[in-house]
Amino acid sequence: MTSPRFPTITYMADTTAELADTNSSSPDDASTDEVVAPTMAHRVSGVIAAGVALGAAELLSGVFERIPSLVESVGQAVINLSPAPMVRFGISAFGTNDKPALAIGIVVISLLLGGMLGAATAKRRMVAPVALGAFALVGLAAAVYDTLTSGGWAIPACLAAVAAGTATLWWLLAAAELRASTDIPAAVAAEGRRRFVLGSAAGLGAAVAFPVIGRQLSNRFSVESARADVELATTAAPQAAAVAVAVDPASDIEGLSTLYTSNSSFYRIDTAFTTPQVDPATWTLKIEGAVDQEVEITFDELVSMATTEADVTLSCVSNRVGGGLVGNAQWLGVPLTDLLDEAGVQPEGNQIFSRSVDGWTCGFPTSLAYDGRSALVAVGMNGEPLPVAHGFPARLVIAGLYGYVSATKWLERITLTDWDSNDGYWIPRGWSKEGPIKTQARIDTASQRSGTDIVSVAGVAWAPTRGISKVELSFDQGPWVETELGPALSEETWRQWWYDWTGAIGSHEVRVRATDGTGAVQTSEVQQPAPNGATGNHEVQFSYNA
Ligand SMILES: Nc1nc2c(c(=O)[nH]1)N[C@H]1C(S)=C(S)[C@@H](COP(=O)(O)O)O[C@H]1N2
Ligand SMILES: [Mo]
C-alpha cells in the first residue's frame, strides 16, 4: 500500500493526468457530481479501506503489548457510557455473548461508515484522511478513558489506521475510476479493472489477516501461563462428589443440568470488554477502610491460606425465569471473615465494599459475611485456578447474594465502609442496593425417553442459603405434583429434580415451582429482572407422540 494516489499507467499518461484533474476540481464544482456519483466500487473501496484501517491497528496492538486494541477500547467505552437500560438490554438480549455481539456491532458500523467514506472520498480525496483521523480520535479518546490501558500508546495505532486506510482507499478509488472511465482506450479500462479486482482482493486479505494475526499475537500477553503455574491446595475434586451421586437417576436424564457446572460452560457476566490480565506476581489484595489495621496480602500468601471449599450456586440478577445465568461450582478460597478479623472491622464498617482492577465495584452488609454462610475470597473453581474470565487471580463468592452485589472478579481491594456512603456500580443504574437471590426453579428438559411412553421432565431449583425442600409441577394447569429431588450438596447450591410423566397424545404444558428450606413456596407473581431479580414460574410446552 505504498502508492498513495493513482496506479501509474505509463503509456496513457495524458489520460491519467486528465482524470486527476477532473478529480481535483470536482469538490468545488457541483456540476461534476455525475462524473463521480457514488458507485458500488466506491463504496466497496471504502468498506475495504475501513477494514484495513481497523486491521492495521489490531495488528499493531498484537505486536506491542502496550498498544491497546482500539476496537476493545471503544467497546469498553460503549459499555461504560451506555445508559443502564441499554447495558441491561445487551445482557438480556445476548447474555454471555454480549461482548462478541458488541465487537461485531462496532466492526459492522465501522465498515458501513467506510462505505460512506468511499463515496465521499471519490468526490474529494482529502475526506479520507480527515474522516479517518476523526474516527481515530474517537478510538484515542476511548483508550484514554479506558482504565486498563495507557491512552498515549493508542497514538501509533491511530496513525497506522489512518495511514493504512487512506492509502488503501486512494489506491482503490484510482483503480475504480480508471476502470469506469468512458473516454479512454479499452486497454486502460481493462487495466483499471484488473487493478481494482486485485487491489480489492489484497485489501480484503489484509482486512481479514491483520486482525486475525494481531489477536493471535496478543495471546502472548495473557496471564494463562501464570495461571497454569498456580498450585492449589489439593482437595477432593468436585467429580468425587459427582461420582458419589452417579447412581442417581438424575445422571442419565438427557438435557438435565449437571450438578456442578463445568468452568467452560459456566455463565459469564461482567462489564469488562476485555478480560483483565492480572499478573499474580505483582497483584495484592488490600483490606482497608474502617479497620484497625490495613492488610495487604500477596497471591502466594492467599493461595497458601486457601484451604476452604464451598459448593455455591451463583446467579445473576439479570437472569430471566428459565434463563441460563446461573451455575453451581465448587469454590476454593479463604474465608472472608479470616481476612476481615486480621484487619479488625470497626463498627462503622457495616458495608463490605469491593473493587476490581478495572474499577468495577459492589457492596453488601458486613453482617452477612458473619452470619454463617459461605463467604470466600476464592482462588479456585472446580479444582482449577480461577479461569481468567471468572476472576483470576482472586474473586469474592458470597452464598445467597446475586453477583452484582457480591461476586467481584479480579478483586483488588476490600473497603470496610458505611452502608450509606458508598454504592456499587449497578446501584445508581437502577438496581436494588441489596440483592438476596430469589427462589427459582428451571425446567431443563421435557422430552420423551426413547422407546418408552414416558416424558422425562427435569431441571434444577435453587434458593441459596435456604436450600430446596420440594419441587412441584403442574401439567396443563392441573394440580401440583411433587418431583423426585437430587442430592443436596448444601443449602447454598441448587438441587436437580425430575419427574416421569405419562399422559395423552398431543401437546402439553408444564409449570414448575420450588419450596425453599424454610417452607416458603416461590412466588408465581411475574416480575422482570430489574430491580432485584425475576420471579414467576418457568413454563414449557412439550408434545407426546405415543
Ligand atoms: N470485576 C467485575 N466483577 C464482577 C462483575 C463485573 O462486571 N466486574 N459482574 C458481577 C456480576 S453482575 C455477576 S452475575 C458475577 C458473574 O460471575 P461469573 O462471570 O463468574 O459467572 O460476577 C460479578 N463480578
Ligand atoms: Mo450479574
Side-chain angles (χ1 to χ4, degrees):
M1 321 274 145
T2 46
S3 162
R5 262 179 174 262
F6 277 68
T8 331
I9 304 212
T10 44
Y11 64 92
M12 281 303 299
D14 286 349
T15 315
T16 313
E18 230 176 84
L19 281 169
D21 261 18
T22 311
N23 275 305
S24 58
S25 66
S26 63
D28 306 312
D29 183 357
S31 68
T32 58
D33 262 14
E34 296 167 331
V35 180
V36 287
T39 65
M40 199 50 160
H42 296 152
R43 294 208 174 86
V44 167
S45 302
V47 169
I48 291 172
V52 171
L54 282 181
E58 286 306 307
L59 183 60
L60 267 194
S61 85
V63 174
F64 301 100
E65 177 161 18
R66 317 201 62 164
I67 296 187
S69 153
L70 296 182
V71 173
E72 282 174 9
S73 290
V74 169
Q76 187 64 64
V78 169
I79 293 173
N80 294 350
L81 297 174
S82 289
M86 226 162 94
V87 178
R88 271 209 301 274
F89 167 78
I91 291 174
S92 70
F94 300 107
T96 288
N97 292 321
D98 57 344
K99 273 102 200 174
L102 176 53
I104 289 169
I106 291 169
V107 170
V108 167
I109 288 173
S110 304
L111 296 181
L112 291 178
L113 289 172
M116 294 164 66
L117 179 67
T121 304
K123 297 190 178 180
R124 191 170 200 164
R125 284 299 191 262
M126 282 316 287
V127 170
V130 170
L132 284 169
F135 290 129
L137 281 180
V138 171
L140 182 62
V144 168
Y145 182 71
D146 192 337
T147 46
L148 288 179
T149 67
S150 44
W153 285 98
I155 293 172
C158 292
L159 292 176
V162 175
T166 303
T168 304
L169 185 50
W170 281 353
W171 201 94
L172 288 177
L173 285 179
E177 281 153 10
L178 196 54
R179 186 197 67 149
S181 301
T182 44
D183 53 352
I184 53 167
V188 177
E191 174 64 6
R193 204 157 27 244
R194 196 182 69 88
R195 280 170 188 248
F196 183 74
V197 170
L198 290 181
S200 303
L204 211 58
V208 172
F210 285 1
V212 168
I213 295 170
R215 301 309 308 182
Q216 212 54 40
L217 286 174
S218 65
N219 286 341
R220 287 173 306 155
F221 312 136
S222 96
V223 292
E224 248 350 300
S225 67
R227 177 178 173 262
D229 292 340
V230 175
E231 285 186 30
L232 299 178
T234 43
T235 56
Q239 284 75 6
V243 168
V245 301
V247 287
D248 257 298
S251 58
D252 47 63
I253 298 174
E254 212 177 316
L256 172 60
S257 300
T258 51
L259 189 52
Y260 289 95
T261 312
S262 70
N263 290 355
S264 58
S265 52
F266 207 95
Y267 81 94
R268 175 195 167 191
I269 290 293
D270 53 61
T271 59
F273 186 71
T274 337
T275 337
Q277 303 290 317
V278 183
D279 181 357
T282 54
W283 175 90
T284 62
L285 170 62
K286 287 184 206 66
I287 298 173
E288 46 150 59
V291 293
D292 297 335
Q293 74 223 12
E294 285 190 8
V295 169
E296 181 163 9
I297 179 167
T298 66
F299 183 63
D300 287 346
E301 287 165 344
L302 193 65
V303 168
S304 69
M305 293 167 71
T307 54
T308 302
E309 269 174 7
D311 293 324
V312 175
T313 291
L314 187 64
S315 172
C316 184
V317 68
S318 298
N319 197 33
R320 280 166 297 178
V321 172
L325 303 181
V326 55
N328 184 49
Q330 182 186 66
W331 308 92
L332 175 71
V334 182
L336 179 57
T337 49
D338 286 3
L339 298 173
L340 295 180
D341 290 345
E342 203 178 316
V345 178
Q346 295 175 348
E348 64 269 35
N350 60 1
Q351 176 174 202
I352 295 173
F353 193 78
S354 56
R355 185 188 157 91
S356 73
V357 299
D358 63 341
W360 187 84
T361 56
C362 72
F364 58 92
T366 306
S367 56
L368 298 187
Y370 282 96
D371 74 359
R373 73 183 66 213
S374 296
L376 293 182
V377 174
V379 294
M381 182 177 182
N382 290 329
E384 279 178 34
L386 279 182
V388 177
H390 295 288
F392 180 81
R395 75 174 303 168
L396 287 176
V397 174
I398 315 294
L401 299 182
Y402 286 121
Y404 83 104
V405 292
S406 68
T408 306
K409 306 192 274 187
W410 316 291
L411 179 66
E412 158 177 276
R413 193 155 73 213
I414 295 172
T415 307
L416 276 295
T417 176
D418 177 60
W419 180 255
D420 296 319
S421 55
N422 278 294
D423 284 334
Y425 181 89
W426 283 112
I427 311 310
R429 292 170 171 82
W431 297 84
S432 301
K433 177 115 184 190
E434 294 194 63
I437 297 180
K438 296 176 178 176
T439 304
Q440 270 292 311
R442 182 179 76 195
I443 301 169
D444 289 340
T445 178
S447 50
Q448 196 172 345
R449 287 204 193 200
S450 58
T452 73
D453 58 358
I454 296 171
V455 171
S456 271
V457 185
V460 284
W462 60 94
T465 75
R466 301 179 297 280
I468 290 293
S469 61
K470 186 159 74 173
V471 173
E472 296 163 289
L473 298 176
S474 161
F475 291 87
D476 303 318
Q477 312 286 334
W480 292 101
V481 292
E482 210 170 322
T483 70
E484 303 281 325
L485 283 179
L489 291 171
S490 76
E491 304 206 307
E492 299 173 341
T493 60
W494 66 18
R495 276 180 93 163
Q496 299 160 308
W497 56 263
W498 60 91
Y499 184 86
D500 285 348
W501 176 90
T502 48
I505 290 170
S507 42
H508 300 273
E509 60 177 42
V510 55
R511 286 195 298 156
V512 64
R513 75 175 186 194
T515 302
D516 74 12
T518 72
V521 181
Q522 87 175 73
T523 175
S524 58
E525 192 194 315
V526 175
Q527 200 184 299
Q528 296 309 305
N532 54 22
T535 60
N537 298 116
H538 190 210
E539 182 177 321
V540 303
Q541 326 281 323
F542 67 91
S543 61
Y544 169 59
N545 314 307

